[in-house]
Amino acid sequence: MSEKAFNPTELLICSASRLMPDNTTAFIGTGVPMLAASLAQKMHAPNLVTIFEFGGTGAILDDLPMAVGERRTFHKAVVASGIRDIVETAQRGFIEYGFLGGAQIDPFGNLNSTVIGDHDHPKVRLPGSGGANDVGSHCWQTIAIMRHDRRRFVEKVDFITTPGYLTGPGAREAAGLPPGTGPYRVVTTLAVMGYHPDTKRMMLLATQPGVTVEQVVENTGFQLVIPDDVERNQPPTEEELRILREEVDKDRLYI
Amino acid sequence: MSEKAFNPTELLICSASRLMPDNTTAFIGTGVPMLAASLAQKMHAPNLVTIFEFGGTGAILDDLPMAVGERRTFHKAVVASGIRDIVETAQRGFIEYGFLGGAQIDPFGNLNSTVIGDHDHPKVRLPGSGGANDVGSHCWQTIAIMRHDRRRFVEKVDFITTPGYLTGPGAREAAGLPPGTGPYRVVTTLAVMGYHPDTKRMMLLATQPGVTVEQVVENTGFQLVIPDDVERNQPPTEEELRILREEVDKDRLYI
Amino acid sequence: MEVIQSGIGELIQPPDINAFREWNRKKQKAMVDKRMTEAEAVRRFIHDGDYIGTELYGTVRCPQSVVNEIVRQGVKDLRVAGQGVYELDILLAAGLVKALDITYIGLEVYGISNCLRREVESGRVDTCIEWSNAGIAWRFKAAAMGVPFIPVRSMLGTDTLKYSAAKVVECPFTGIPICLLPALVLDVGIIHVHRADMYGNAQVDGIQGFCAELARASKTLIVSTEEIVPNEEIRRNPDRTLIPYYLVDAVIEAPYGSHPGEMCYVYERDEEHIKEWVEASKDPETTQTYLDKYIYGVKDHQEYLALIGEERLQYLKQIVPER
Amino acid sequence: MEVIQSGIGELIQPPDINAFREWNRKKQKAMVDKRMTEAEAVRRFIHDGDYIGTELYGTVRCPQSVVNEIVRQGVKDLRVAGQGVYELDILLAAGLVKALDITYIGLEVYGISNCLRREVESGRVDTCIEWSNAGIAWRFKAAAMGVPFIPVRSMLGTDTLKYSAAKVVECPFTGIPICLLPALVLDVGIIHVHRADMYGNAQVDGIQGFCAELARASKTLIVSTEEIVPNEEIRRNPDRTLIPYYLVDAVIEAPYGSHPGEMCYVYERDEEHIKEWVEASKDPETTQTYLDKYIYGVKDHQEYLALIGEERLQYLKQIVPER
């Protein structure tokens, strides 16, 4: 199958989906994470426990939710509770993975979804934290899903909406965030990245199909840790694309 | 009707019942308050909103509860929730009356239901606070229901389980208890008492039928404020006794 | 127990928990008929400058018929809590919002809110204090508990905290830093439910969002409901009641009250209508046209439903899947 | 934010919320069959010296079949949270309790507990730390929230606070004194419910007591249930689920599991049996006779039910009134 046979959104969905292991708990936000979770349930993770902010735990994603509170987020779920129950469950340490987006990300994985420019006189007023700060504070491992360009990958975000590693090693713990939590992966249209275990700075792990290390570096507004071995992320398989197109998003609302 | 035609428990029930106005909220503990509330609903207060600690709000007391969590406490109720919802409702200022008992009471209405003697080496280990401390902290007006003798009405209780006026005027507020709350009445086998508005010390309001002021004073282990006018509490009416015996407690479990 | 950090944001609604208790003491405890129209409820209970909040989430179980009436009556200088999608977008579009305790206002899958951008970037919304989603729910919970603050581990280390009115203290039991969120008491809360009796005892199906918390954090509470049921029905299943009558000041019968949003198990959301709004909201002029047609141009919720049309509304019920 | 007062009571179970997070992280997230007998659950999960708690309230939806098994296995030096009627009385009667975070142990309408008196006055229970009823529920809630403390306005000004491990601080928002209760994490929580599936998803009818809080505050959770239902039934009404499977370590099918207590809508409490216990408990010798007959003398819950007798059990169902 040719590498052109899928679009960037499909690539993001398939890459994120592979980061959702079976029998784990995952906090699912609007958009790509929903599609990825649905795909994961239909591919390798039938028992992925999806957790939606406003109360749904363990929904079966037969149909794709259009909003984080709507009935598909608790369709055939094991529990339909409320926002506090969900976020307190995360705060208590029960949720392994959290999937997030953002307008800007910095080398320590801090995310901005609040403002571009000055807070009190913003150039662009963005939606705000929503559940992102909660997810980034409490889930054990957070995964950011973003389009990749220099305006988004910046040395310093205009506003830290959601905590990554803040200013570096030890900073989360010093701020009072639960020890052992933090950013885990960044999935983009160009690459999959992790964080250097010592410096907590973003580190390239794999390039997306057809993308070179140089292209990733060029499109990143800060110095990325480049290890000796950079893997090549496998393109979406035919099976992934078929399920995504024919079952997950058959009305093509997102893809 | 002769004053001997009722027993002390019946007298306590009828006296307490009259302190439950229609269309008010009342926090109801085990025993006499349950009977009083049922009687009140069947007499003058059909819309008395009974509130039981473990979750029942607005039950219709057709049958008499034997325990504060059992099904009669939420029989045909408008809400069946849980203990936190109930006590937080009180903490938020929604519950007007709270009915309490205790092994000892002092001139400021402080109640002991924890120990007789030293806490760590008690002569008698009593059950403990239960909901009493919560009721006495949050309800606007608390009403103690007790048998009246010098062992129970003491200058200093062995242990302040539940706050009355603590050490006197201003002490509740200084301790952080909600302003405007506190003991309101004490209903006993000998008298009905209130509190002096300035000194917050217990004050005789009315003697029970056939009881003299002297008898009340004799049976009280501290100096009671005795106003010029002491009323005589009316004995239970025939109607009250009939309903109490034939409807409220027809199996004579309590009376 | 040292205060380590204080957010620089304004405390728009200070947590005077004793005053809230006094207010609650005076609320009526009798069960009386509280049924009224949206027009009456808004006229009587929502005033210029009030601090309000809506539940659940934008297009999900949203009290839209009441929000539309606020717009029709032009209640202005509103201070608003929380997160929203369509409903807060409409209030912003109508220029009625002055200050926000904000966590998220956007259009979810359809992207960022143009109305929010226009109102905030122009300075017409003059105050934006930042919180997380759970942060706002927890602030309601603190008020609902009747305490002035609640401890959490959200927001720590971020600008979200810096531009909030939260404080960080050292926990006196463990020594770890803990974020304290101030209680948030609403002048008026607005909630749409599946069923309520005429007194205001209300039940919802499916997820509960932050219904219980917002109801208990509101000085005045307006409940709109898909249907009004007899009190006996409530009393048969009291363990389903999330809102006790004594919290409630107005009960509004509003079938399809959440339209174009959904009401789980009853009707689906009107995706076409939402897309119409998304398109209209991109430009001030088309925004105004939309408001003229769907809100200013109709007298009340009944006329609104007639405008949407019986066929469309029936369709939204028919496509509800089996449970 | 100054600490104004600290209770002098021992913090029996310190609120190490980070350790609780680590524990919860390791709990299994897969849905696996957790059905087992009382004997297996107690053997595997409750050990000498453990800190345990039961829900709901003594004779109401009480996990009695599990408590009886604890007595049969003689798990000792237990540290116990909270309030109880019959169930904690039985543990005390058997001499298995070493320390109490106590709020109420008594026999409600039948008066004070003779077993409590004997065990505490003799010093066999060597620690009694005082709390209010809601205080204990709030302490569970703090653990369930994942924070080390929770602010309340109970206990202030009293000896209940003095002999607790609570602290009073000055509120940094309002300046008023506020009581902080430390989170309470249980080694083992035990809850009896109306229905659960084999994975542990559990639902109760009627009042919820502090079921949700205790379940979420427990490192290990044992759920006994009147009946085990298919997972599909849980998924049809997920808004009824109070306990998600991932909290649960053991699911025990225990019809009449609350006997002699009640299970609302299913069976009434066995007043005659309770009176038999009240009488027996007055004297150490008759107490032992009672334990010998009803607990040590039977092998398991099934034998216990046979001893009580089918006729009596059926009667307790027949007298359940209409809802």
Side-chain angles (χ1 to χ4, degrees):
Chain A
M1 140 169 264
S2 132
E3 288 184 357
K4 286 273 172 238
F6 49 86
N7 67 33
T9 303
E10 290 172 332
L11 178 63
L12 283 178
I13 294 165
C14 293
S15 301
S17 171
R18 294 171 191 169
L19 293 171
M20 297 172 170
D22 203 16
N23 289 312
T24 61
T25 46
F27 202 117
I28 306 293
T30 301
V32 169
M34 288 176 181
L35 290 110
S38 178
L39 179 61
Q41 280 190 350
K42 292 169 198 282
M43 289 282 305
H44 60 281
N47 303 303
L48 174 71
V49 182
T50 59
I51 297 184
F52 290 94
E53 188 178 11
F54 286 94
T57 294
I60 295 172
L61 299 180
D62 288 340
D63 291 321
L64 209 55
M66 293 295 285
V68 290
E70 61 115 312
R71 57 123 185 124
R72 294 173 186 87
T73 65
F74 53 94
H75 176 64
K76 295 183 184 168
V78 292
V79 196
S81 60
I83 181 172
R84 284 195 310 113
D85 183 50
I86 295 298
V87 180
E88 290 167 11
T89 296
Q91 193 164 251
R92 212 161 68 245
F94 270 101
I95 306 184
E96 190 63 26
Y97 299 102
F99 290 82
L100 289 171
Q104 293 180 324
I105 192 167
D106 75 10
F108 294 114
N110 300 305
L111 286 160
N112 175 19
S113 56
T114 302
V115 285
I116 302 297
D118 175 65
H119 177 267
D120 294 339
H121 302 92
K123 207 161 78 181
V124 184
R125 174 68 218 199
L126 301 168
S129 161
N133 180 288
D134 303 310
V135 170
S137 296
H138 306 302
C139 293
W140 289 101
Q141 302 193 306
T142 54
I143 294 150
I145 304 173
M146 296 180 69
R147 297 191 180 256
H148 203 137
D149 62 49
R150 294 181 74 89
R151 284 183 312 117
R152 295 172 201 264
F153 283 70
V154 295
E155 182 62 42
K156 192 173 178 327
V157 294
D158 291 6
F159 190 99
I160 300 181
T161 308
T162 299
Y165 288 108
L166 300 173
T167 55
R172 282 180 70 94
E173 292 75 5
L177 291 163
T181 58
Y184 170 61
R185 290 286 182 271
V186 185
V187 175
T188 77
T189 39
L190 301 183
V192 174
M193 285 150 291
Y195 293 86
H196 190 280
D198 299 330
T199 65
K200 303 296 185 192
R201 285 185 66 100
M202 202 183 293
M203 178 169 74
L204 184 60
L205 297 180
T207 53
Q208 292 286 25
V211 177
T212 63
V213 171
E214 290 66 34
Q215 281 174 303
V216 177
V217 169
E218 264 167 37
N219 283 282
T220 303
F222 54 82
Q223 203 168 350
L224 206 54
V225 181
I226 311 286
D228 294 339
D229 295 326
V230 174
E231 295 186 31
R232 292 186 57 100
N233 200 24
Q234 291 304 305
T237 65
E238 279 188 54
E239 178 73 355
E240 282 173 330
L241 288 172
R242 188 188 62 73
I243 291 177
L244 179 56
R245 292 167 183 173
E246 293 175 18
E247 296 182 27
V248 172
D249 191 14
K250 53 183 176 296
D251 299 329
R252 303 294 170 96
L253 293 167
Y254 295 83
I255 60 177
Chain B
M1 142 170 259
S2 131
E3 290 184 356
K4 286 273 174 242
F6 48 87
N7 67 34
T9 303
E10 289 172 332
L11 177 64
L12 283 177
I13 293 165
C14 293
S15 301
S17 172
R18 294 172 192 169
L19 293 171
M20 296 174 172
D22 203 15
N23 289 312
T24 60
T25 45
F27 202 116
I28 306 294
T30 302
V32 169
M34 287 177 181
L35 289 112
S38 178
L39 179 60
Q41 280 191 351
K42 290 168 199 282
M43 289 284 304
H44 60 280
N47 303 303
L48 174 73
V49 181
T50 59
I51 297 184
F52 289 94
E53 188 178 13
F54 286 94
T57 294
I60 296 173
L61 299 179
D62 288 340
D63 291 321
L64 209 56
M66 293 294 286
V68 290
E70 59 116 311
R71 57 122 185 126
R72 295 174 186 85
T73 66
F74 53 93
H75 177 63
K76 294 182 186 168
V78 292
V79 196
S81 60
I83 182 172
R84 284 195 310 113
D85 183 50
I86 294 298
V87 180
E88 290 167 10
T89 296
Q91 193 164 251
R92 213 161 67 247
F94 269 101
I95 306 184
E96 190 63 27
Y97 300 102
F99 290 82
L100 289 172
Q104 294 179 323
I105 191 167
D106 75 12
F108 294 114
N110 301 304
L111 286 161
N112 174 19
S113 56
T114 302
V115 285
I116 301 296
D118 175 64
H119 176 267
D120 294 338
H121 303 91
K123 205 162 80 183
V124 183
R125 174 68 219 198
L126 301 169
S129 162
N133 180 288
D134 303 310
V135 170
S137 296
H138 307 302
C139 293
W140 289 102
Q141 303 194 304
T142 52
I143 294 150
I145 304 172
M146 295 181 68
R147 300 194 176 251
H148 202 139
D149 61 51
R150 294 181 75 90
R151 285 183 311 118
R152 293 171 202 266
F153 283 68
V154 295
E155 182 61 42
K156 193 172 178 324
V157 294
D158 291 5
F159 191 98
I160 300 181
T161 309
T162 300
Y165 288 109
L166 299 173
T167 55
R172 282 180 71 92
E173 293 75 4
L177 290 164
T181 56
Y184 170 62
R185 291 286 182 271
V186 185
V187 176
T188 76
T189 39
L190 300 182
V192 175
M193 286 149 290
Y195 293 86
H196 190 280
D198 300 330
T199 65
K200 303 296 186 193
R201 283 184 66 100
M202 202 183 292
M203 179 168 73
L204 184 60
L205 297 180
T207 54
Q208 293 286 25
V211 177
T212 63
V213 172
E214 290 65 34
Q215 283 174 302
V216 177
V217 169
E218 264 167 38
N219 284 281
T220 304
F222 54 81
Q223 202 168 351
L224 206 53
V225 181
I226 311 286
D228 293 339
D229 296 325
V230 174
E231 294 186 31
R232 290 187 58 101
N233 199 25
Q234 291 304 307
T237 65
E238 278 188 53
E239 180 72 355
E240 283 173 330
L241 289 172
R242 188 189 62 75
I243 291 178
L244 179 57
R245 292 166 183 172
E246 294 175 17
E247 296 182 28
V248 171
D249 190 14
K250 53 184 177 293
D251 300 329
R252 304 295 171 94
L253 293 168
Y254 294 83
I255 60 176
Chain C
M1 183 158 167
E2 203 189 333
V3 174
I4 301 168
Q5 188 191 351
S6 292
I8 63 173
E10 182 191 339
L11 196 43
I12 299 180
Q13 192 84 329
D16 187 346
I17 217 69
N18 286 338
F20 189 40
R21 274 186 62 93
E22 294 289 346
W23 175 278
N24 290 338
R25 183 181 196 171
K26 293 196 184 90
K27 285 198 85 156
Q28 186 169 41
K29 308 305 184 302
M31 287 204 215
V32 297
D33 188 350
K34 295 167 188 164
R35 285 173 298 177
M36 61 187 77
T37 62
E38 285 91 351
E40 185 180 352
V42 172
R43 196 166 51 240
R44 284 178 56 182
F45 296 119
I46 312 187
H47 308 102
D48 291 353
D50 272 357
Y51 192 105
I52 70 168
T54 53
E55 209 256 355
L56 172 74
Y57 197 55
T59 60
V60 178
R61 194 164 51 67
C62 178
Q64 193 59 42
S65 76
V66 180
V67 169
N68 288 353
E69 182 61 28
I70 294 173
V71 172
R72 257 192 301 276
Q73 293 192 20
V75 189
K76 60 182 190 295
D77 297 334
L78 292 171
R79 300 170 300 147
V80 180
Q83 87 292 85
V85 183
Y86 176 79
E87 92 285 33
L88 295 194
D89 223 25
I90 291 289
L91 283 183
L92 287 161
L96 302 177
V97 180
K98 192 178 160 52
L100 284 168
D101 274 314
I102 189 171
T103 161
Y104 174 94
I105 299 178
L107 299 170
E108 296 202 273
V109 299
Y110 297 116
I112 66 178
S113 158
N114 290 290
C115 299
L116 178 73
R117 284 200 59 182
R118 288 197 293 267
E119 293 298 297
V120 173
E121 293 165 21
S122 69
R124 284 191 293 273
V125 169
D126 66 17
T127 309
C128 278
I129 312 299
E130 308 294 330
W131 310 89
S132 71
N133 257 6
I136 291 282
W138 276 317
R139 293 188 63 196
F140 291 145
K141 180 60 195 177
M145 282 183 71
V147 291
F149 62 86
I150 193 164
V152 305
R153 305 183 82 181
S154 280
M155 294 173 53
L156 291 159
T158 64
D159 290 325
T160 305
L161 193 144
K162 182 178 171 191
Y163 287 88
S164 78
K167 291 181 190 291
V168 181
V169 298
E170 190 184 291
C171 167
F173 296 99
T174 62
I176 64 175
I178 290 286
C179 175
L180 303 187
L181 302 176
L184 179 49
V185 174
L186 295 166
D187 292 327
V188 189
I190 315 167
I191 300 181
H192 188 60
V193 302
H194 285 78
R195 73 194 70 84
D197 65 20
M198 67 166 94
Y199 312 118
N201 294 298
Q203 305 181 338
V204 307
D205 297 332
I207 55 169
Q208 294 105 59
F210 49 99
C211 168
E213 294 87 348
L214 183 137
R216 286 158 178 75
S218 297
K219 288 170 71 178
T220 295
L221 184 61
I222 296 174
V223 167
S224 61
T225 175
E226 286 295 321
E227 58 169 341
I228 292 180
V229 298
N231 177 251
E232 293 69 35
E233 190 176 327
I234 298 289
R235 290 187 186 271
R236 227 174 352 255
N237 293 294
D239 53 9
R240 296 311 306 261
T241 308
L242 290 183
I243 303 178
Y245 75 95
Y246 56 76
L247 299 172
V248 178
D249 298 274
V251 177
I252 299 165
E253 185 165 16
Y256 293 103
S258 179
H259 185 273
E262 70 162 68
M263 202 67 188
C264 74
Y265 310 138
V266 185
Y267 51 89
E268 293 279 281
R269 82 176 194 169
D270 190 338
E271 207 61 44
E272 293 312 309
H273 191 101
I274 288 170
K275 283 181 190 161
E276 186 181 338
W277 167 246
V278 171
E279 283 310 308
S281 70
K282 287 179 179 164
D283 178 86
E285 206 169 307
T286 49
T287 297
Q288 189 59 41
T289 309
Y290 177 96
L291 296 182
D292 285 342
K293 176 173 178 186
Y294 290 108
I295 301 182
Y296 299 122
V298 295
K299 188 171 99 254
D300 54 21
H301 183 56
Q302 287 66 39
E303 271 198 25
Y304 170 85
L305 292 183
L307 179 63
I308 300 300
E310 184 62 21
E311 196 182 342
R312 178 100 204 129
L313 295 173
Q314 278 304 321
Y315 167 75
L316 297 173
K317 283 201 172 164
Q318 283 154 14
I319 57 176
V320 170
E322 264 192 80
R323 214 150 157 167
Chain D
M1 186 159 167
E2 203 189 334
V3 175
I4 301 169
Q5 188 191 351
S6 291
I8 62 171
E10 181 191 340
L11 195 43
I12 299 180
Q13 191 84 327
D16 186 346
I17 216 70
N18 286 338
F20 189 41
R21 274 185 63 92
E22 294 289 347
W23 177 277
N24 291 337
R25 182 180 197 173
K26 293 195 185 90
K27 284 197 85 154
Q28 186 167 41
K29 308 306 183 303
M31 288 204 214
V32 298
D33 187 351
K34 295 166 188 164
R35 287 174 297 177
M36 60 187 77
T37 61
E38 285 92 350
E40 186 180 354
V42 172
R43 195 166 51 241
R44 284 179 56 183
F45 297 119
I46 312 187
H47 308 102
D48 291 353
D50 273 356
Y51 191 105
I52 71 168
T54 53
E55 209 255 359
L56 174 75
Y57 197 54
T59 60
V60 178
R61 193 164 52 66
C62 178
Q64 193 60 43
S65 77
V66 180
V67 170
N68 288 353
E69 182 61 28
I70 294 173
V71 172
R72 256 191 303 275
Q73 294 192 19
V75 188
K76 61 182 190 295
D77 296 333
L78 292 172
R79 300 169 300 147
V80 179
Q83 87 291 86
V85 184
Y86 177 78
E87 92 286 32
L88 294 195
D89 223 26
I90 292 288
L91 283 183
L92 288 161
L96 303 176
V97 180
K98 189 176 161 55
L100 285 169
D101 274 314
I102 190 170
T103 162
Y104 174 95
I105 298 177
L107 299 170
E108 296 202 272
V109 300
Y110 297 115
I112 65 177
S113 157
N114 290 291
C115 299
L116 178 72
R117 284 199 61 181
R118 288 196 294 265
E119 293 298 296
V120 173
E121 293 165 22
S122 69
R124 283 191 293 273
V125 169
D126 66 16
T127 309
C128 277
I129 311 301
E130 308 293 328
W131 310 88
S132 71
N133 256 7
I136 291 281
W138 275 317
R139 293 187 63 196
F140 291 145
K141 179 60 194 176
M145 284 182 71
V147 291
F149 63 84
I150 192 163
V152 305
R153 304 183 82 181
S154 281
M155 295 173 54
L156 291 159
T158 63
D159 291 325
T160 305
L161 193 143
K162 181 179 170 190
Y163 287 89
S164 78
K167 291 180 190 291
V168 182
V169 298
E170 190 184 290
C171 167
F173 296 98
T174 63
I176 63 176
I178 291 286
C179 175
L180 303 186
L181 302 176
L184 178 49
V185 174
L186 295 166
D187 292 328
V188 189
I190 315 167
I191 299 181
H192 188 60
V193 302
H194 285 79
R195 73 195 70 84
D197 66 18
M198 68 166 90
Y199 312 118
N201 294 297
Q203 305 182 338
V204 306
D205 297 333
I207 55 169
Q208 293 104 58
F210 49 99
C211 168
E213 294 87 348
L214 183 137
R216 285 158 179 76
S218 297
K219 289 170 72 178
T220 295
L221 183 61
I222 296 173
V223 167
S224 61
T225 176
E226 286 294 320
E227 57 170 342
I228 291 180
V229 298
N231 178 251
E232 293 69 35
E233 190 175 326
I234 298 289
R235 289 188 185 271
R236 232 181 339 264
N237 294 294
D239 53 9
R240 297 308 310 257
T241 308
L242 291 183
I243 303 178
Y245 75 94
Y246 55 76
L247 299 172
V248 178
D249 297 274
V251 177
I252 298 165
E253 184 165 17
Y256 293 102
S258 180
H259 184 274
E262 70 161 63
M263 203 66 188
C264 74
Y265 310 137
V266 185
Y267 51 88
E268 292 278 283
R269 83 176 194 171
D270 190 338
E271 208 60 45
E272 292 311 308
H273 191 102
I274 288 170
K275 282 181 189 160
E276 186 181 338
W277 166 247
V278 170
E279 282 310 308
S281 70
K282 286 178 180 164
D283 179 87
E285 206 169 308
T286 49
T287 297
Q288 189 60 41
T289 309
Y290 177 97
L291 296 182
D292 284 342
K293 176 174 178 187
Y294 289 107
I295 302 182
Y296 299 121
V298 295
K299 186 170 100 260
D300 53 23
H301 184 55
Q302 287 66 39
E303 270 197 26
Y304 170 84
L305 292 183
L307 179 63
I308 300 299
E310 185 61 21
E311 195 182 344
R312 179 101 203 129
L313 295 174
Q314 278 304 322
Y315 167 76
L316 297 173
K317 283 202 172 164
Q318 282 155 14
I319 57 176
V320 170
E322 263 192 80
R323 214 150 157 168

